[in-house]
């Protein structure tokens, strides 16, 4: 499954999140995956440098209530890793 962030979701900054541990600000463009495992792709800013086509793989602590961006982004992550 591939879910693309809509203009409304981007306007509400649902596509943005900060990973404090790695000083990384992510601006997601789309999410792929299913169940508890997903990959978010987009633009990452690390220490002031922007990286396009950046991907983060992550696993949720529990499956989302439904396979929507809102439901996926509302669940806490168990772990994550950079793919790029």
């Amino acid at each position: 499954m591939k879910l693309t962030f809509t203009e409304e979701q981007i306007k509400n900054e649902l596509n943005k999140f900060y990973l404090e541990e790695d000083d990384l600000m992510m601006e997601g463009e789309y999410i792929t995956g299913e169940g508890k495992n997903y990959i978010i792709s987009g633009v990452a800013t690390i220490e002031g440098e922007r990286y396009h086509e950046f991907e983060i793989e992550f696993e949720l602590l529990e499956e989302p209530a439904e396979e929507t961006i809102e439901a996926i982004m509302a669940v806490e992550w168990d772990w994550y890793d950079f793919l790029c």
Side-chain angles (χ1 to χ4, degrees):
M1 157 200 75
K2 180 177 179 178
L3 300 169
T4 302
F5 286 93
T6 66
E7 289 298 320
E8 185 70 21
Q9 291 166 331
I10 292 169
K11 179 181 173 187
N12 293 328
E13 298 188 345
L14 186 60
N15 68 321
K16 293 183 181 181
F17 58 90
Y18 181 66
L19 299 175
E20 185 175 352
E21 182 176 306
D22 292 300
D23 191 24
L24 180 144
M25 171 60 83
M26 184 72 172
E27 298 172 51
E29 295 173 0
Y30 60 90
I31 296 175
T32 57
E34 61 184 31
K36 293 181 0 180
N37 296 87
Y38 294 91
I39 296 173
I40 187 165
S41 303
V43 179
T45 303
I46 305 170
E47 297 179 1
E49 296 290 326
R50 291 179 60 81
Y51 299 89
H52 295 268
E53 299 181 28
F54 197 87
E55 293 182 322
I56 299 173
E57 179 180 14
F58 60 97
E59 183 173 297
L60 303 174
L61 285 174
E62 58 189 48
E63 289 196 26
E66 55 188 1
E67 289 190 334
T68 64
I69 287 178
E70 291 84 359
I72 293 166
M73 296 301 286
V75 178
E76 187 176 341
W77 294 6
D78 184 24
W79 59 264
Y80 68 89
D81 198 7
F82 305 134
L83 298 179
C84 297

